[in-house]
Structure formats: structure tokens, C-alpha cells
Amino acid sequence: MTATLFEIIDKPIDVEQVRQKVLNRNAGAITLFIGTVREMTNGKKTLHLEYQAYPAMAIKMFEQIAKEIQEQWPEVKIAISHRVGHLAISDIAVVIAVSSPHRKIAYLANEYAIDRIKQIVPIWKKEHWEDGTEWIGDQLENIPYPKGEPVIQEGEEKCD
């Protein structure tokens, strides 16, 4: 049975399980990026986060990111797990595992992956601040939602 390299899940992410997906005999390095929920953002206190996603499109975008990485670094293997739903402070939101024959490429590919996730993957984050709530317009946190929440196109389904 082949493990799924890319997933959107609504339960805690097993970091070791994600690492195992990229383990191979030619890997001289495996990098793990573990994105966690922080309490303080620009002086504002977060109580918890809520992530929602369009799972089918998110998986396609994860595959696109893997394709882009393999065009630059052909020997890299990547796995991505992103959690949706209610996340508390310090919970793991995303794990990216990258294996490569060489350390530097594993680091570069992993950084590339998280940057691209924030650019192209339909995952939305709602901040539950100490003084209110706010949908973050995009993963780069620089585009607000005009209606204060994500807009789901007809035919899309979201998962939270």
C-alpha cells in the first residue's frame, strides 16, 4: 500500500508518519517544517485558530508544488499534511517533509514548499483574537476578505 503524500486532515498530524512518507535509501537529508499556532502576532493575543480548506483543490495545489520542486530538484521527495478545524496554541497546523540526497537542497525545497502553500493553496485561517475574530484574507496575510469571510465558488466544497 502506498501512503498518500498530500493530505488535508481534521485531526492532529503525526509528524513521524509524514517523515516516513519521504524516507528512502538515497536520502542523505530529511527536513521537516512544522508550522504551529503562535499565541502572539504583532502584539495581538490569539486564543485559537480555525482553518478551512477546499480539500480537492488543496491536494491539486500540493501536487503542483511537488511538480515545481521536482523540476528544480529532481531527486527530492516531498509530503505535505495540513490540518483544518479548531487548533489551539502550539498545535501543529502543517508539516512538510522533504528528503534529498543533500542537506542544502532539502532546506531549499522545504522553504519553497511553504512559500508556495501560502501563495496558491485554498486554505483559509480565522484568527480568534482576545478582542474578536478575523478571517485572514490569504495565507500571506496581506489581502483582506471584502466580505469578512472566504468566498467559496459554486461547485467548491470546504472542509473545516
Side-chain angles (χ1 to χ4, degrees):
M1 184 172 147
T2 303
T4 301
L5 294 175
F6 311 109
E7 63 182 355
I8 299 290
I9 61 174
D10 61 0
K11 59 184 186 251
I13 298 171
D14 181 335
V15 175
E16 176 57 20
Q17 189 176 57
V18 180
R19 185 188 74 87
Q20 287 290 327
K21 293 177 181 179
V22 300
L23 188 62
N24 70 75
R25 297 176 62 88
N26 293 318
I30 296 176
T31 57
L32 292 168
F33 172 80
I34 303 171
T36 58
V37 177
R38 68 176 168 264
E39 184 172 50
M40 299 302 294
T41 301
N42 300 324
K44 290 181 78 171
K45 185 175 182 179
T46 298
L47 301 176
H48 64 273
L49 294 180
E50 178 185 339
Y51 281 98
Q52 295 185 357
Y54 174 17
M57 184 57 73
I59 298 299
K60 284 184 181 178
M61 293 297 99
F62 289 160
E63 292 168 349
Q64 173 63 37
I65 292 166
K67 182 179 174 194
E68 292 171 8
I69 286 172
Q70 289 179 333
E71 287 172 0
Q72 293 184 63
W73 304 289
E75 297 176 324
V76 163
K77 186 170 183 182
I78 182 169
I80 303 170
S81 293
H82 203 296
R83 187 173 170 193
V84 293
H86 177 100
L87 279 74
I89 304 301
S90 300
D91 279 354
I92 297 172
V94 61
V95 174
I96 303 168
V98 173
S99 66
S100 168
H102 306 287
R103 162 182 35 94
K104 186 171 184 175
I105 289 172
Y107 277 118
L108 291 171
N110 206 313
E111 182 177 28
Y112 182 88
I114 190 63
D115 289 346
R116 290 294 284 152
I117 287 170
K118 288 178 176 281
Q119 292 170 346
I120 68 171
V121 179
I123 296 173
W124 305 281
K125 178 171 68 175
K126 187 174 190 178
E127 288 271 4
H128 290 262
W129 305 106
E130 190 174 43
D131 60 353
T133 62
E134 177 183 14
W135 281 101
I136 303 301
D138 67 347
Q139 290 278 335
L140 296 173
E141 301 183 10
N142 58 12
I143 300 172
Y145 288 118
K147 295 182 179 178
E149 62 185 44
V151 176
I152 305 298
Q153 302 299 320
E154 188 174 319
E156 294 179 348
E157 62 180 88
K158 65 181 180 181
C159 177
D160 56 358

